[in-house]
Each structure stands twice: as C-alpha cells, then as structure tokens.
Amino acid sequence: MDEGQGSEAGYPGFMVMRPPRLLKNIGTLKRVAVAKLAGIRMISASFSGERLLFQPWLTVMVDEGPCVSVTGVYRTDTSLRNEPEEEGPVFCLRKSTWLSAADLALVKGAYDFRSHLRGGEQVVDSFAFVNRSAGREAIGITEEFVTSMNTSELTLRAADRASSQFQFIKIEVGGEIRAFNIGYSPVTTSIDLVESALPEWLASVDRAVNVPGFQPDGPLTISIDRSVPELIG
C-alpha cells in the first residue's frame, strides 16, 4: 500500500483505526489515565507577568494497582545558576493521582464513556511553585537522590517477594550530568538504591506540594507527548 492511500502518516502499509473502539472497563480507564499521567513533559506559568518554563528534573510514576501516581520536581534554567535566593519560583512540585474506585464511580454517572475519558476528572493534579527556601526539604532530598543515581551503579537484580506495595516504578531523571529513565517491577526485580531512597523522597514532595507557594497569574500551560501521526502529520 502506498503512503497516502488510506495509511496513516508514519505507518505506511497499515490501516490505522481512528478513533479506536474503547471497551468500557477498568483496563481502558487505567490505560488512558496512565497515558495522561505520563504525557506531561513540561509546565509553564506566568508570575507577575513573566512567563516561566519548568522542565523535568526528577519524575517518578508508581503503579500500586488500584492507584497510579506521578510525583515530580520540575525546574527553570535559573535554578541551575549559583546566584542569591530568587524572588520568584524556580521549582514546580507536582503530584498527580489516578484512583480506580473514584474513576469507576464517575463513569457510572457519565453520559458518554469517551467524553468522560476526554474530561479532566480522571486524574487529580496538585502543583506548587516554590523557590529554594520554600521548598528546602524537598529540593534538598531531590538533589541527593539524583546525585546518588548519577554517581552510583543502578544494578537491577532478581527479587523473590510474596508481595510488594508497588507493582511498577518508572523513574525519569533530567540532570546536568546525564538524562535517563528506568522502569521495572519491584515484584520480580529490585534496585536497592532506588527503593531505599524513594519512600522518603515521595513523602517529602507530598508534604511540600500541599503547602501554598507562589500563585501563577492564570491557568498553567503544559506540553505533552504526541503520537507519531500528530508529530509528523
């Protein structure tokens, strides 16, 4: 099949069904919610008329089965400079959560399944914009966590666990030294450095994201992952 004769851009030789058939079940709800959680790449907001772009420094997706969350620390280029304390925010703290029970309850009252998935009620988002002083604990622990992952070997070893709180962990690091991502299931495998530092880091960001910080002038702007056809179409 020649490209353009019914094939999708980027997938020559294949017919791509759009929109796909969506089965009304928990699997579809979770799959779409995870795509929403993982899809946010950068966050932008205005403060006192100045537009700031926050890029990912450390983001962690944790799948606990009935709950999936993304915890993240994003930063501006200004945060990398060795300058006196900033007057405005240079870090964005994020906590985004999907709960299967809450989503199922919303679906029962929804008029249309596809409209529900398009809406914003699936995922609960919290953002806090801080400088280094206001977010001292969370920023300090993030620096230590990222540095340890950059300077130590991250060895994936087999694990023999009857159960685990986390079904899957995905970590993305955007450091000055290197950028990388790791994904694994703690049910069958383990990275000791990650699992020893992760609970404290998650708790620290959870506390900080619920403390009022700098308030943006208006709605946030996010950049998201796009599909191959959207990127090249």
Side-chain angles (χ1 to χ4, degrees):
M1 180 186 297
D2 293 332
E3 186 174 352
Q5 293 185 350
S7 62
E8 188 68 62
Y11 297 93
F14 296 92
M15 292 291 293
V16 178
M17 184 173 62
R18 299 178 69 185
R21 179 168 174 254
L22 295 173
L23 298 177
K24 191 174 181 179
N25 58 31
I26 189 65
T28 300
L29 289 174
K30 185 171 184 177
R31 186 172 67 254
V32 174
V34 168
K36 291 178 181 179
L37 288 165
I40 296 179
R41 307 311 304 168
M42 290 181 283
I43 301 163
S44 179
S46 291
F47 298 86
S48 301
E50 181 183 4
R51 196 76 181 170
L52 299 179
L53 177 66
F54 299 85
Q55 302 180 68
W57 182 18
L58 175 59
T59 60
V60 178
M61 174 180 285
V62 171
D63 184 345
E64 299 180 53
C67 171
V68 183
S69 64
V70 168
T71 304
V73 178
Y74 301 72
R75 60 184 179 177
T76 66
D77 289 339
T78 308
S79 69
L80 301 174
R81 302 171 191 164
N82 187 18
E83 296 178 355
E85 179 61 78
E86 313 84 3
E87 294 182 1
V90 290
F91 298 99
C92 172
L93 310 178
R94 172 195 173 198
K95 181 63 178 287
S96 300
T97 306
W98 172 79
L99 297 172
S100 61
D103 204 6
L104 284 169
L106 290 170
V107 166
K108 289 180 180 178
Y111 172 75
D112 176 72
F113 186 54
R114 191 178 294 273
S115 296
H116 169 74
L117 296 176
R118 287 174 177 158
E121 295 181 316
Q122 258 201 306
V123 174
V124 177
D125 294 301
S126 297
F127 298 93
F129 296 92
V130 300
N131 57 19
R132 191 172 292 273
S133 292
R136 186 177 305 280
E137 179 193 17
I139 301 309
I141 293 177
T142 301
E143 287 179 327
E144 293 174 2
F145 195 6
V146 171
T147 298
S148 67
M149 288 189 287
N150 276 326
T151 57
S152 304
E153 290 187 4
L154 298 177
T155 303
L156 186 67
R157 62 176 179 81
D160 184 14
R161 293 172 171 147
S163 63
S164 172
Q165 177 186 353
F166 303 145
Q167 294 185 2
F168 190 80
I169 296 172
K170 182 178 181 181
I171 298 176
E172 296 190 34
V173 176
E176 303 95 275
I177 300 175
R178 57 176 175 167
F180 60 91
N181 64 74
I182 306 167
Y184 72 99
S185 171
V187 177
T188 57
T189 51
S190 177
I191 300 178
D192 292 338
L193 187 153
V194 169
E195 288 165 45
S196 62
L198 185 58
E200 181 184 9
W201 180 79
L202 290 172
S204 174
V205 177
D206 278 355
R207 289 191 295 270
V209 80
N210 290 310
V211 176
F214 293 88
Q215 295 302 308
D217 298 339
L220 308 184
T221 299
I222 59 173
S223 64
I224 61 174
D225 285 334
R226 294 182 292 165
S227 66
V228 171
E230 289 175 319
L231 287 170
I232 65 178

